Amino acid sequence: SGLLTRLQTSAPTIRTLSSSNSFSQNIPSCLWKLGRLNHVAIAVPDLEKAQSLYKDVLGAQVSETVALPEHGVYTVFVELGNTKLELLHPLGEKSPIASFLQKNKTGGMHHICIEVDDIKTAMTELKKKKIRILSEEPKIGAHGKPVIFLHPKDCHGVLVELEQA
C-alpha cells in the first residue's frame, strides 16, 4: 500500500485549460479569415549584400530583384519552406523604405504579411473596428495580388500587410 500511495502522489496531474474554451467563445465571428504568414519583410541598406547572405552564406533559394515603382521598392524573396522573407530596398527618393532606413541605418524588420481569404470584406470589418488602413483601396503587391497595410499604431507597433490569398 505504501508503494501505491507514493505512485499516486508522484504521478503528474493533467489539467485542462477551462479558460481556452471561454477564450474561443469570446472571439467574434468574422466574415473573412486570416490565413498563413506569407512573409516577413526586412528593409536592407545594401540589397546585394543581403541577397548574398541568404543565398551564399545561408544557402537559401533567393529570387531575382524586382522593381515595384508603385510601392517605391525593390524586392527580393527568400524561400524558407514554410514562409518567405522579403528583402526591401528603396526605389526613388519618395520610397517609404528610404525614410525607414534613415531612422534604422542598418535595416531591420519592416512589416509582416498575412494572407486573408477576402480582402474587401476584411477592409470593411477592420474599418468598423477602428483599425486604420493606409490606403482607400487595395494595391497590387509583389505577388500580383491585392494588398493593404494596417496602421502600426493600431497593431501594437507592427506594420501589418494583408494579402488576398
Side-chain angles (χ1 to χ4, degrees):
S1 121
L3 179 60
L4 181 58
T5 305
R6 280 184 291 184
L7 285 174
Q8 289 173 332
T9 58
S10 66
T13 304
I14 298 173
R15 295 187 181 135
T16 58
L17 296 175
S18 60
S19 63
S20 65
N21 290 339
S22 61
F23 176 75
S24 64
Q25 291 168 353
N26 291 335
I27 298 173
S29 62
C30 286
L31 300 175
W32 57 281
K33 289 183 184 171
L34 277 181
R36 70 181 191 93
L37 175 68
N38 184 283
H39 63 267
V40 174
I42 302 168
V44 297
D46 187 326
L47 193 54
E48 287 181 15
K49 276 187 181 177
Q51 281 175 292
S52 178
L53 168 69
Y54 288 101
K55 184 177 181 180
D56 302 328
V57 177
L58 299 176
Q61 182 180 343
V62 177
S63 75
E64 294 298 317
T65 301
V66 175
L68 295 175
E70 62 278 8
H71 292 276
V73 296
Y74 289 104
T75 65
V76 169
F77 281 94
V78 179
E79 294 291 331
L80 297 178
N82 61 344
T83 192
K84 297 179 278 296
L85 297 178
E86 179 184 31
L87 306 179
L88 299 171
H89 187 73
L91 172 61
E93 295 90 41
K94 294 182 181 179
S95 170
I97 301 306
S99 59
F100 181 90
L101 288 172
Q102 285 174 354
K103 298 173 199 154
N104 305 278
K105 301 289 185 209
T106 59
M109 193 191 90
H110 185 262
H111 68 268
I112 64 170
C113 176
I114 304 171
E115 294 175 359
V116 295
D117 66 344
D118 186 339
I119 200 162
K120 288 285 201 173
T121 304
M123 289 178 73
T124 301
E125 287 195 16
L126 289 167
K127 286 178 183 178
K128 287 179 189 173
K129 294 175 182 178
K130 307 287 189 240
I131 302 296
R132 290 173 282 178
I133 299 170
L134 300 181
S135 61
E136 288 300 314
E137 290 296 322
K139 295 180 181 179
I140 299 302
H143 298 115
K145 297 178 180 182
V147 300
I148 58 170
F149 286 87
L150 308 181
H151 199 294
K153 289 184 179 175
D154 298 339
C155 300
H156 307 283
V158 177
L159 179 61
V160 176
E161 177 184 18
L162 298 181
E163 178 181 283
Q164 178 71 47

